[in-house]
Amino acid sequence: MIRTVDFRGRVLTKAQYKSELPRATLDVSQAMTLIAPILDRVAHGDEEDLFELAQEFDGVRPPSIRVPESALSDALANLAPEIRTALELSIDRIRLVHMNQIRSGKITDVAPGGTVTEKWIPVDRVGLYVPGGRAVYPSSVMMNVIPAQIAQVKSIAVASPPQKDFGGLPHPIILATCALLGITEVYAIGGAQAIALFAYGMENVCEKADMVTGPGNIYVAAAKRALRGIVGIDSEAGPTEIAILADESAIAADVAADLISQAEHDTIAAAVLVTTSPKLAQAVEAELKKRVPRTKHSQRITTALSGVQSAIALVDSLAQGIDVVNAYAAEHLEIQTQNARRDAEQIRNAGAVFVGRFSPVSLGDYSAGSNHVLPTGGCACHSSGLSVQTFLRGLHFIEYNEAAFREIIPTVITLANAEDLPAHGEAMSVRLELP
């Protein structure tokens, strides 16, 4: 069901580890070609084009592209009490964590009379995408909306695909979660066309956004890549992935269940176990064979676990295992070792790190308080997950008085002449000329 890669007795580079633990093939460039007509249609079309795209790709014509506020209120009123309670608890924890991400401004006195003030300014408007299809993701509503609200973004809109089963509206739990969070601007539109609507805007339908965030399929990722620059983006989210670093102290049933949980998302989801224990590896394989057939989405999970993107990797030591997982840079990394907290301190590259037996990825997906919109495809080597900072821009305010200005003039003129840009120097010296 899952292949084995043996790194024991081998010392490899970061690139070599990555090559032996490849991701699933995902041709975003080809998808960009396929979606180009959709982007053009939204850019130059009207609301009727959006209705036709919904019918074509979602199999239903929404009653309206913008969801009526009454539908949001009705969804919240009809939400099962136990789901509402679970959402409210998760919202509280996510808010608590993200409130600690607020950045304060700083004033730096660079010279007597010369200051540089850094302020953090929220973007004016964001479009938040919440996927639909195989599953419903109220968790993605929370993970996108809450950081944007804490950043004090003034205008927040949400888009989610229309559903045939719900009369062309997004899933009612999505609508109810928006209502819980006070979001009233929601659009029944999905895929590349949703990203294009936020990027370009459309008269009498939707105002252009400054930024788009949120996960989605390959066509959403392709639209983000194609429209980056027209609109800001958080990242191009790829298939979900989990890596687990484990030693002989890990419990095979826990490890197998966690691998299965991420494989449940998609046939190209990645599930990787890196372990020092051949005994654990064998026990995990046995657990997978026992548990996968009993799961609701067993066919999807089997395909994901048997793909090239999933593996059990055997290593000589935890030190080598840490090298492997740092090279792999998983979206989600679990540490299930005897000294999990100590070993976690050596992790440099991961979207989020889940430390110890009682911190599974599923906890972070919903209710830990952390954000689950995370870098995939090895991008955790250079990128972070979604946060309040995603929606903020650092802006410098420079203010010098005359004395500070006169003191620095020779330095600026010298550097301007060194770069053969004498007019830059003249823009300094002119201020000393008498009017």
Side-chain angles (χ1 to χ4, degrees):
M1 181 176 293
I2 189 168
R3 68 191 180 97
T4 298
V5 178
D6 196 343
F7 290 129
R8 292 174 297 179
R10 305 163 64 195
V11 179
L12 304 181
T13 65
K14 180 178 178 179
Q16 288 170 329
Y17 282 132
K18 288 169 70 77
S19 70
E20 296 203 24
L21 293 173
R23 265 74 178 190
T25 301
L26 194 66
D27 194 344
V28 176
S29 298
Q30 183 179 13
M32 288 175 69
T33 301
L34 295 174
I35 65 165
I38 297 172
L39 305 186
D40 185 68
R41 192 169 173 184
V42 174
H44 299 100
D46 56 22
E47 190 171 20
E48 183 58 33
D49 289 283
L50 302 180
F51 284 122
E52 291 174 2
L53 287 165
Q55 185 70 60
E56 181 178 351
F57 291 102
D58 301 298
V60 64
R61 182 185 175 97
S64 61
I65 296 300
R66 180 160 178 174
V67 176
E69 289 189 36
S70 59
L72 298 170
S73 301
D74 290 346
L76 183 56
N78 294 320
L79 185 64
E82 65 274 16
I83 297 178
R84 178 167 182 157
T85 298
L87 287 171
E88 288 174 337
L89 177 58
S90 299
I91 287 168
D92 287 344
R93 293 192 175 188
I94 295 166
R95 278 203 179 116
L96 187 64
V97 170
H98 288 74
M99 282 296 293
N100 280 334
Q101 297 174 352
I102 295 173
R103 300 185 69 161
S104 58
K106 299 288 186 183
I107 300 175
T108 304
D109 294 311
V110 295
T115 64
V116 175
T117 302
E118 184 175 57
K119 295 183 180 180
W120 292 95
I121 311 295
V123 297
D124 292 334
R125 176 171 167 81
V126 295
L128 310 179
Y129 185 73
V130 178
R134 287 197 178 102
V136 53
Y137 293 103
S139 54
S140 288
V141 179
M142 297 186 290
M143 300 295 176
N144 280 275
V145 168
I146 293 170
Q149 289 178 327
I150 292 172
Q152 300 184 23
V153 176
K154 291 182 179 179
S155 178
I156 300 175
V158 170
S160 193
Q163 305 287 312
K164 286 189 288 186
D165 293 341
F166 302 105
L169 293 173
H171 196 286
I173 299 181
I174 297 294
L175 300 183
T177 307
C178 288
L180 265 180
L181 292 167
I183 299 300
T184 59
E185 187 181 351
V186 181
Y187 296 91
I189 185 168
Q193 56 269 31
I195 308 304
L197 180 62
F198 284 144
Y200 293 119
M202 184 176 285
E203 189 175 0
N204 299 322
V205 178
C206 176
E207 182 185 347
K208 173 180 166 45
D210 299 303
M211 170 173 278
V212 174
T213 74
N217 61 19
I218 187 172
Y219 302 106
V220 170
K224 283 183 170 183
R225 181 180 294 183
L227 296 171
R228 185 171 194 165
I230 295 173
V231 69
I233 68 169
D234 54 342
S235 64
E236 298 174 19
T240 191
E241 56 201 31
I242 182 174
I244 302 174
L245 177 65
D247 61 15
E248 66 282 353
S249 69
I251 298 172
D254 293 352
V255 174
D258 292 350
L259 294 172
I260 289 169
S261 72
Q262 292 307 298
E264 184 177 40
H265 278 282
D266 199 303
T267 56
I268 54 175
V272 175
L273 167 62
V274 179
T275 182
T276 56
S277 172
K279 183 178 179 181
L280 176 68
Q282 292 173 1
V284 168
E285 285 193 77
E287 285 287 338
L288 291 174
K289 290 175 183 177
K290 180 175 70 175
R291 290 172 177 273
V292 170
R294 300 202 307 245
T295 61
K296 179 178 180 180
H297 305 295
S298 58
Q299 186 173 357
R300 184 191 310 163
I301 293 165
T302 299
T303 302
L305 291 177
S306 59
V308 68
Q309 73 274 13
S310 298
I312 294 176
L314 296 172
V315 293
D316 284 316
S317 63
L318 279 175
Q320 186 185 26
I322 289 168
D323 285 343
V324 172
V325 296
N326 274 326
Y328 185 71
E331 176 189 19
H332 309 97
L333 173 62
E334 289 186 0
I335 309 293
Q336 297 196 35
T337 60
Q338 190 168 5
N339 295 293
R341 186 180 297 173
R342 180 200 66 192
D343 296 331
E345 291 177 357
Q346 299 181 67
I347 300 304
R348 303 184 307 280
N349 302 325
V353 183
F354 299 81
V355 185
R357 184 187 179 199
F358 297 106
S359 307
V361 168
S362 295
L363 178 63
D365 282 342
Y366 301 105
S367 306
S370 57
N371 205 291
H372 81 190
V373 182
L374 302 168
T376 60
C379 291
C381 285
H382 55 74
S383 298
S384 305
L386 194 73
S387 70
V388 172
Q389 181 63 34
T390 304
F391 302 99
L392 297 173
R393 298 155 297 136
L395 186 56
H396 281 166
F397 293 78
I398 300 92
E399 185 175 2
Y400 274 53
N401 64 19
E402 184 177 347
F405 174 79
R406 286 177 176 274
E407 187 270 332
I408 200 65
I409 277 180
T411 299
V412 174
I413 292 176
T414 296
L415 292 174
N417 290 335
E419 292 188 352
D420 194 24
L421 297 171
H424 282 63
E426 290 169 13
M428 297 288 289
S429 61
V430 71
R431 283 164 169 78
L432 300 183
E433 297 175 7
L434 294 176

